[in-house]
Amino acid sequence: MHGRDLISIADFTADELATVLSTAARLKRDPAWCTDALAGQTLALLFEKPSLRTRVSFDVAMQRLGGHTVYLSQSEVGLGQREPVADVAHVLSRYVHGIAARTYAQATLLELAEYASVPVINALSDDEHPCQALADLLTVQECKGDVQGVRIAFIGDGNNVAASLGQASTLAGAHFTIASPPGYLLPEKVLIQLEAFANASGGSVRAIQSPQEAVEGADVVYTDVWTSMGQEVSYEQRRRAFAEYQVTPELMALARPDAIFMHDLPAHRGEETAAEVIDGPQSVVFDQAENRLHVQRAALLLLLGQVQE
Ligand code: CP
Ligand code: NVA
């Protein structure tokens, strides 16, 4: 994987995905492992949108591997406005060893990757959030022992988080069901991808409307915000469309008794999740948030460094 970009979970083979997860698990278990693997290396954090988890976990991940980060906000860089995306990619490649970028358009990431001579990592785009899905799978593995055969129900918007979770789940052999209202489904091209992954892995994929049907017998119930960053103008319309899609204690009760509740955060209590659910005993949202650090350490190690024995 050395020297590669991390734009989409769909670019991984099932074996590569398993390697990232096992590397992350080992880094988590053994804090003294590979602590200087990226000594002297710098990662640029180029963010068009706000962030807590992604920014801090990438920063700490680089420190824990012996490297550094430099944070660049859109107001300073003006990606595609003050300067063409290709020029930013060329210039940053002369200073840093990798670029983690959070963008609106997926096309911006692809353009950065095309012109940068260093690895580009997707730190969230409008279409995908691969680093989140890596943390999600590590969390499922820890809680359920494996990902293969696990029943994962995503309730809500067919957004960036749902797309990457669906890709990772079906690549790893899980049974992925998404329940969304009409007009908010996963894009058709993503569903086609998920079907191909599921066929190859022994997993399955279903896209349905009923949240009740989706969570029935689920091992994992997952939700995300109804209005993602950049969609604020449609907030009221989305609140109405998703009104029946809140993960409530009643909905959780339809899942398996040992089901876990997951959310990538930030969360809106009283919208996509009831407070009793996200703050209740089945919730693993802060383990998930912690795992961002471990999977990103693994990804940085594999893309930018050498695994030390
Ligand atoms: N889950 C996640 O990516 O959080 P941030 O937007 O705070 O980085
Ligand atoms: N779907 C959300 C995820 C935030 C981490 C968004 O894009 O705003």
Side-chain angles (χ1 to χ4, degrees), residues 227-265:
T227 303
S228 287
M229 291 179 275
Q231 298 172 335
E232 290 77 7
V233 289
S234 57
Y235 175 76
E236 281 307 330
Q237 183 188 329
R238 286 171 168 273
R239 261 177 77 95
R240 285 193 295 277
F242 288 102
E244 303 302 318
Y245 285 77
Q246 184 181 102
V247 179
T248 58
E250 295 71 33
L251 193 68
M252 277 305 288
L254 300 176
R256 283 176 57 100
D258 61 352
I260 53 171
F261 172 78
M262 298 181 73
H263 192 308
D264 48 290
L265 306 177

Side-chain angles (χ1 to χ4, degrees), residues 50-55 102 129 132 229 264-266 292:
S51 168
L52 172 66
R53 279 145 291 275
T54 309
R55 177 179 174 177
R102 170 166 284 198
H129 197 1
Q132 181 65 52
M229 291 179 275
D264 48 290
L265 306 177
R292 293 292 304 276

Side-chain angles (χ1 to χ4, degrees), residues 187-257:
E188 191 58 31
K189 76 170 207 297
V190 174
L191 282 170
I192 291 167
Q193 248 173 3
L194 303 195
E195 269 157 27
F197 289 151
N199 285 338
S201 67
S204 64
V205 58
R206 281 190 307 159
I208 59 178
Q209 256 189 59
S210 161
Q212 288 76 16
E213 194 183 329
V215 301
E216 211 181 303
D219 301 294
V220 176
V221 178
Y222 198 121
T223 192
D224 183 24
V225 292
W226 294 338
T227 303
S228 287
M229 291 179 275
Q231 298 172 335
E232 290 77 7
V233 289
S234 57
Y235 175 76
E236 281 307 330
Q237 183 188 329
R238 286 171 168 273
R239 261 177 77 95
R240 285 193 295 277
F242 288 102
E244 303 302 318
Y245 285 77
Q246 184 181 102
V247 179
T248 58
E250 295 71 33
L251 193 68
M252 277 305 288
L254 300 176
R256 283 176 57 100

